[in-house]
Amino acid sequence: MFKGFYKIGWIAFTALPHVALAECNVVHSLQEGDTLLSVAERYYDDRNRWSVIYYANEVALAGNLVNVPVGVEINIPCLETANSKADPKPLLQDDAGIKLLTGSNYAPFTDQDWSGQGLATELVNAALEESPSPVPFSLTWENDWSQHLFPKLDNKEFDMGFPWIKPDCDADPENERCVNFHFSEPIFNILVRLYVDNDSSIAFEKDDELHGKTLCRPKGYFTHDLDSEDRQWLTKGLVKLTQADSPEACFELLTEGKVDAVTLNEFLGYQKIKDLGLADKVKVLDRPISTETLHVIISKRHWRGTTHLYRFNAGLEKLKSTKRYEEILSLIHIS
């Protein structure tokens, strides 16, 4: 279990000049500032090929993915002759014993355009690699998240889905996720924050500062943190919730003065502020709305649900005891 929130250090990778070298099977001496991502970009013009270099030099790198040892000489293999172990997801196969379901529009957690296809995808893959008697898995991308729980996972079209936030099932045992699905141990924690106009007087030091305010959170996103037993902001009408079509639409409403704040997880919030060029117009408040946990889920009616969940939880526990867990977290960056 988590002892507290992992403070993930965002690493700013400075893109090297476009030098896609023709050489392969050459020796590279690691320099100050090198990462496996930057070395892969230099030689392969593709930083996602970092695992090819890593698996070709496991002994020399001594297990380091991020803080690579300066001065150590590593071999840069040719892609066409690289050992098959260099596949960053060796268990991922089209026809596999476990069928996983996720979506490609939830960056930085799951997105096919991100390095490693997102933070949660990297961690799920790594946990399954560490599980007892690892078995191959397939991964299907369905961007309509409303189809995931019902009918696809509930009907057992897929074995497990990720990443899903777990509601407070003790306080709300009738929540449909609590009633119908088992949750894995937390993959990791995320903070949900408030984003306000730079001139806003909202400090959010206490909950009642938001009474009478209008918040925006996109359609389909969870709201249980806004209506928890100790808040009941929505049930009692203390806070008005606007559910726009997208995070971008929420920020547009904020800049137009139509809502008082946008509430999103900190990863998505920071990314959208950057993408929309709002760094000089929007600020994030220090106190989070909530801390949420992301999980793998499986239907309670799945005949092998307990077995699959045990395998994943065992692998996740082992993964968290290694350096690889935090190294995967630190490899995720805002591109």
PDB file of all heavy atoms in Angstrom, residues 91 98 128-136 304 310-311 314-315 318:
ATOM      1  N   LEU A  91       5.690  -9.148 -23.131  1.00  0.00           N
ATOM      2  CA  LEU A  91       4.499  -9.955 -22.885  1.00  0.00           C
ATOM      3  C   LEU A  91       3.313  -9.522 -23.738  1.00  0.00           C
ATOM      4  O   LEU A  91       2.316 -10.234 -23.814  1.00  0.00           O
ATOM      5  CB  LEU A  91       4.097  -9.869 -21.403  1.00  0.00           C
ATOM      6  CG  LEU A  91       5.064 -10.467 -20.385  1.00  0.00           C
ATOM      7  CD1 LEU A  91       4.529 -10.264 -18.975  1.00  0.00           C
ATOM      8  CD2 LEU A  91       5.289 -11.945 -20.643  1.00  0.00           C
ATOM      9  N   ILE A  98      -4.496 -13.015 -21.259  1.00  0.00           N
ATOM     10  CA  ILE A  98      -5.195 -11.953 -20.535  1.00  0.00           C
ATOM     11  C   ILE A  98      -5.473 -10.814 -21.513  1.00  0.00           C
ATOM     12  O   ILE A  98      -4.574 -10.351 -22.208  1.00  0.00           O
ATOM     13  CB  ILE A  98      -4.361 -11.438 -19.350  1.00  0.00           C
ATOM     14  CG1 ILE A  98      -4.142 -12.561 -18.326  1.00  0.00           C
ATOM     15  CG2 ILE A  98      -5.040 -10.259 -18.678  1.00  0.00           C
ATOM     16  CD1 ILE A  98      -3.286 -12.148 -17.146  1.00  0.00           C
ATOM     17  N   LEU A 128       3.013  -6.781 -14.628  1.00  0.00           N
ATOM     18  CA  LEU A 128       2.740  -8.108 -15.179  1.00  0.00           C
ATOM     19  C   LEU A 128       4.035  -8.862 -15.468  1.00  0.00           C
ATOM     20  O   LEU A 128       4.090 -10.092 -15.334  1.00  0.00           O
ATOM     21  CB  LEU A 128       1.885  -7.985 -16.435  1.00  0.00           C
ATOM     22  CG  LEU A 128       0.440  -7.558 -16.199  1.00  0.00           C
ATOM     23  CD1 LEU A 128      -0.276  -7.272 -17.510  1.00  0.00           C
ATOM     24  CD2 LEU A 128      -0.321  -8.628 -15.404  1.00  0.00           C
ATOM     25  N   GLU A 129       5.092  -8.141 -15.849  1.00  0.00           N
ATOM     26  CA  GLU A 129       6.386  -8.792 -16.043  1.00  0.00           C
ATOM     27  C   GLU A 129       6.924  -9.346 -14.723  1.00  0.00           C
ATOM     28  O   GLU A 129       7.610 -10.373 -14.695  1.00  0.00           O
ATOM     29  CB  GLU A 129       7.394  -7.805 -16.631  1.00  0.00           C
ATOM     30  CG  GLU A 129       7.178  -7.495 -18.095  1.00  0.00           C
ATOM     31  CD  GLU A 129       8.259  -6.593 -18.657  1.00  0.00           C
ATOM     32  OE1 GLU A 129       9.163  -6.193 -17.894  1.00  0.00           O
ATOM     33  OE2 GLU A 129       8.201  -6.286 -19.863  1.00  0.00           O
ATOM     34  N   GLU A 130       6.626  -8.650 -13.619  1.00  0.00           N
ATOM     35  CA  GLU A 130       7.126  -9.060 -12.306  1.00  0.00           C
ATOM     36  C   GLU A 130       6.216 -10.072 -11.623  1.00  0.00           C
ATOM     37  O   GLU A 130       6.535 -10.572 -10.543  1.00  0.00           O
ATOM     38  CB  GLU A 130       7.279  -7.835 -11.397  1.00  0.00           C
ATOM     39  CG  GLU A 130       8.283  -6.792 -11.879  1.00  0.00           C
ATOM     40  CD  GLU A 130       9.724  -7.255 -11.697  1.00  0.00           C
ATOM     41  OE1 GLU A 130       9.946  -8.323 -11.101  1.00  0.00           O
ATOM     42  OE2 GLU A 130      10.632  -6.530 -12.159  1.00  0.00           O
ATOM     43  N   SER A 131       5.077 -10.384 -12.222  1.00  0.00           N
ATOM     44  CA  SER A 131       4.107 -11.257 -11.572  1.00  0.00           C
ATOM     45  C   SER A 131       4.584 -12.707 -11.562  1.00  0.00           C
ATOM     46  O   SER A 131       5.437 -13.093 -12.367  1.00  0.00           O
ATOM     47  CB  SER A 131       2.756 -11.165 -12.295  1.00  0.00           C
ATOM     48  OG  SER A 131       2.853 -11.686 -13.608  1.00  0.00           O
ATOM     49  N   PRO A 132       4.051 -13.520 -10.649  1.00  0.00           N
ATOM     50  CA  PRO A 132       4.422 -14.937 -10.625  1.00  0.00           C
ATOM     51  C   PRO A 132       3.994 -15.629 -11.921  1.00  0.00           C
ATOM     52  O   PRO A 132       2.867 -15.450 -12.371  1.00  0.00           O
ATOM     53  CB  PRO A 132       3.619 -15.485  -9.435  1.00  0.00           C
ATOM     54  CG  PRO A 132       3.241 -14.289  -8.625  1.00  0.00           C
ATOM     55  CD  PRO A 132       3.097 -13.163  -9.583  1.00  0.00           C
ATOM     56  N   SER A 133       4.894 -16.367 -12.520  1.00  0.00           N
ATOM     57  CA  SER A 133       4.610 -17.084 -13.770  1.00  0.00           C
ATOM     58  C   SER A 133       3.938 -16.169 -14.786  1.00  0.00           C
ATOM     59  O   SER A 133       2.761 -16.334 -15.138  1.00  0.00           O
ATOM     60  CB  SER A 133       3.708 -18.297 -13.503  1.00  0.00           C
ATOM     61  OG  SER A 133       4.283 -19.165 -12.572  1.00  0.00           O
ATOM     62  N   PRO A 134       4.656 -15.146 -15.266  1.00  0.00           N
ATOM     63  CA  PRO A 134       4.067 -14.158 -16.180  1.00  0.00           C
ATOM     64  C   PRO A 134       3.432 -14.813 -17.398  1.00  0.00           C
ATOM     65  O   PRO A 134       3.929 -15.801 -17.937  1.00  0.00           O
ATOM     66  CB  PRO A 134       5.280 -13.309 -16.587  1.00  0.00           C
ATOM     67  CG  PRO A 134       6.272 -13.488 -15.487  1.00  0.00           C
ATOM     68  CD  PRO A 134       6.089 -14.910 -15.032  1.00  0.00           C
ATOM     69  N   VAL A 135       2.305 -14.259 -17.809  1.00  0.00           N
ATOM     70  CA  VAL A 135       1.622 -14.750 -18.992  1.00  0.00           C
ATOM     71  C   VAL A 135       1.438 -13.583 -19.967  1.00  0.00           C
ATOM     72  O   VAL A 135       1.344 -12.428 -19.554  1.00  0.00           O
ATOM     73  CB  VAL A 135       0.248 -15.366 -18.643  1.00  0.00           C
ATOM     74  CG1 VAL A 135       0.412 -16.572 -17.749  1.00  0.00           C
ATOM     75  CG2 VAL A 135      -0.663 -14.329 -17.991  1.00  0.00           C
ATOM     76  N   PRO A 136       1.393 -13.860 -21.275  1.00  0.00           N
ATOM     77  CA  PRO A 136       1.200 -12.791 -22.255  1.00  0.00           C
ATOM     78  C   PRO A 136      -0.146 -12.102 -22.081  1.00  0.00           C
ATOM     79  O   PRO A 136      -1.112 -12.694 -21.595  1.00  0.00           O
ATOM     80  CB  PRO A 136       1.278 -13.524 -23.595  1.00  0.00           C
ATOM     81  CG  PRO A 136       2.017 -14.786 -23.304  1.00  0.00           C
ATOM     82  CD  PRO A 136       1.627 -15.170 -21.915  1.00  0.00           C
ATOM     83  N   ARG A 304     -12.268 -15.973 -13.420  1.00  0.00           N
ATOM     84  CA  ARG A 304     -10.873 -16.036 -13.015  1.00  0.00           C
ATOM     85  C   ARG A 304     -10.417 -14.714 -12.400  1.00  0.00           C
ATOM     86  O   ARG A 304      -9.235 -14.410 -12.368  1.00  0.00           O
ATOM     87  CB  ARG A 304      -9.987 -16.381 -14.216  1.00  0.00           C
ATOM     88  CG  ARG A 304     -10.257 -17.755 -14.807  1.00  0.00           C
ATOM     89  CD  ARG A 304      -9.202 -18.149 -15.805  1.00  0.00           C
ATOM     90  NE  ARG A 304      -7.892 -18.309 -15.194  1.00  0.00           N
ATOM     91  CZ  ARG A 304      -6.765 -18.497 -15.873  1.00  0.00           C
ATOM     92  NH1 ARG A 304      -6.804 -18.531 -17.201  1.00  0.00           N
ATOM     93  NH2 ARG A 304      -5.618 -18.646 -15.255  1.00  0.00           N
ATOM     94  N   TYR A 310      -4.834 -11.490  -8.203  1.00  0.00           N
ATOM     95  CA  TYR A 310      -3.690 -11.909  -7.375  1.00  0.00           C
ATOM     96  C   TYR A 310      -2.395 -11.783  -8.156  1.00  0.00           C
ATOM     97  O   TYR A 310      -1.393 -11.279  -7.644  1.00  0.00           O
ATOM     98  CB  TYR A 310      -3.869 -13.352  -6.916  1.00  0.00           C
ATOM     99  CG  TYR A 310      -2.579 -13.941  -6.371  1.00  0.00           C
ATOM    100  CD1 TYR A 310      -2.128 -13.614  -5.088  1.00  0.00           C
ATOM    101  CD2 TYR A 310      -1.786 -14.783  -7.152  1.00  0.00           C
ATOM    102  CE1 TYR A 310      -0.928 -14.115  -4.597  1.00  0.00           C
ATOM    103  CE2 TYR A 310      -0.587 -15.287  -6.680  1.00  0.00           C
ATOM    104  CZ  TYR A 310      -0.159 -14.956  -5.396  1.00  0.00           C
ATOM    105  OH  TYR A 310       1.027 -15.447  -4.925  1.00  0.00           O
ATOM    106  N   ARG A 311      -2.405 -12.241  -9.411  1.00  0.00           N
ATOM    107  CA  ARG A 311      -1.190 -12.182 -10.225  1.00  0.00           C
ATOM    108  C   ARG A 311      -0.735 -10.727 -10.383  1.00  0.00           C
ATOM    109  O   ARG A 311       0.446 -10.415 -10.222  1.00  0.00           O
ATOM    110  CB  ARG A 311      -1.439 -12.821 -11.589  1.00  0.00           C
ATOM    111  CG  ARG A 311      -0.267 -12.650 -12.553  1.00  0.00           C
ATOM    112  CD  ARG A 311      -0.528 -13.289 -13.903  1.00  0.00           C
ATOM    113  NE  ARG A 311      -0.356 -14.736 -13.845  1.00  0.00           N
ATOM    114  CZ  ARG A 311      -1.324 -15.619 -13.992  1.00  0.00           C
ATOM    115  NH1 ARG A 311      -2.566 -15.201 -14.181  1.00  0.00           N
ATOM    116  NH2 ARG A 311      -1.088 -16.908 -13.936  1.00  0.00           N
ATOM    117  N   ALA A 314       0.518  -9.186  -6.983  1.00  0.00           N
ATOM    118  CA  ALA A 314       1.821  -9.719  -6.598  1.00  0.00           C
ATOM    119  C   ALA A 314       2.927  -9.078  -7.423  1.00  0.00           C
ATOM    120  O   ALA A 314       3.996  -8.719  -6.894  1.00  0.00           O
ATOM    121  CB  ALA A 314       1.833 -11.235  -6.766  1.00  0.00           C
ATOM    122  N   GLY A 315       2.681  -8.923  -8.715  1.00  0.00           N
ATOM    123  CA  GLY A 315       3.668  -8.272  -9.555  1.00  0.00           C
ATOM    124  C   GLY A 315       3.855  -6.815  -9.209  1.00  0.00           C
ATOM    125  O   GLY A 315       4.981  -6.300  -9.207  1.00  0.00           O
ATOM    126  N   LYS A 318       5.934  -6.479  -6.022  1.00  0.00           N
ATOM    127  CA  LYS A 318       7.346  -6.713  -6.306  1.00  0.00           C
ATOM    128  C   LYS A 318       7.957  -5.533  -7.050  1.00  0.00           C
ATOM    129  O   LYS A 318       9.079  -5.101  -6.763  1.00  0.00           O
ATOM    130  CB  LYS A 318       7.514  -7.995  -7.125  1.00  0.00           C
ATOM    131  CG  LYS A 318       8.971  -8.357  -7.381  1.00  0.00           C
ATOM    132  CD  LYS A 318       9.086  -9.682  -8.131  1.00  0.00           C
ATOM    133  CE  LYS A 318      10.547 -10.025  -8.408  1.00  0.00           C
ATOM    134  NZ  LYS A 318      10.660 -11.300  -9.161  1.00  0.00           N
TER     135      LYS A 318
END
